[in-house]
Amino acid sequence: MQSVVAIHNGVNERAWSEVLQWEKLHVTRCGGPRLKKFAGRPQDYSPKARLLNFLGYKLPFDRHDWVVDRCGKEVRYVVDFYNAAPLPGMPIAMHLDVRPALDSPSALLDRLRMQYRWMNSGRWKGQRTPRQPQPQHQPQPSS
């Protein structure tokens, strides 16, 4: 049971870390965002999960809605949990898709901003970010 609790806590920490990445778009001076409440909704698939399933991807095995207090404003996040390929030494692997729910124009703008940053970074193609210089191949002197 302790290992289940440890895994659950680790997953929640990862999800919170991703929420904080989104919240960086709204740097405030009120002490930062706080988790106000959350609810598990395992059978209620998000529109994005349903679209990806239509395109051939598997549905998430769980979904949570997290409500964050951002200086008095409630902001809802959707967290979809997907199974992932385990790595050596890690018997359990999962992918988290964390994003603001499309409840407001602000949430839509946040998602567009993050999508732009991701596309501009080149990470989706396995490239380095444009601001990082590519390593230059230096010819080795022949002996």
Side-chain angles (χ1 to χ4, degrees):
M1 185 63 167
Q2 286 179 336
S3 61
V4 172
V5 171
I7 291 169
H8 188 266
N9 289 342
V11 170
N12 283 338
E13 290 295 325
R14 269 182 43 203
W16 183 245
S17 173
E18 292 195 32
V19 166
L20 292 178
Q21 291 300 312
W22 287 96
E23 285 295 309
K24 282 182 182 179
L25 297 173
H26 302 276
V27 176
T28 60
R29 296 171 195 233
C30 68
R34 294 177 320 176
L35 181 62
K36 187 169 184 175
K37 60 184 174 182
F38 69 92
R41 299 173 64 184
Q43 300 304 317
D44 189 10
Y45 301 115
S46 67
K48 181 178 178 182
R50 281 185 261 137
L51 173 66
L52 290 174
N53 183 247
F54 176 77
L55 296 173
Y57 294 91
K58 291 185 178 181
L59 287 167
F61 67 85
D62 199 3
R63 170 191 170 172
H64 290 177
D65 283 9
W66 289 23
V67 177
V68 171
D69 178 344
R70 181 192 298 150
C71 299
K73 178 182 177 186
E74 287 191 1
V75 181
R76 185 169 63 99
Y77 283 85
V78 176
V79 183
D80 284 329
F81 298 84
Y82 293 90
N83 286 316
L87 299 171
M90 295 182 67
I92 297 175
M94 64 183 78
H95 168 73
L96 305 181
D97 186 4
V98 180
R99 65 220 179 263
L102 290 177
D103 294 341
S104 67
S106 173
L108 175 63
L109 183 59
D110 286 352
R111 285 173 71 166
L112 291 172
R113 287 169 63 190
M114 287 294 253
Q115 184 69 28
Y116 175 78
R117 288 179 182 184
W118 180 71
M119 293 293 291
N120 193 39
S121 74
R123 288 179 297 164
W124 60 281
K125 296 190 291 184
Q127 295 178 346
R128 295 174 181 265
T129 59
R131 291 177 181 79
Q132 293 177 330
Q134 293 286 345
Q136 298 295 318
H137 174 70
Q138 297 292 328
Q140 299 296 321
S142 55
S143 6

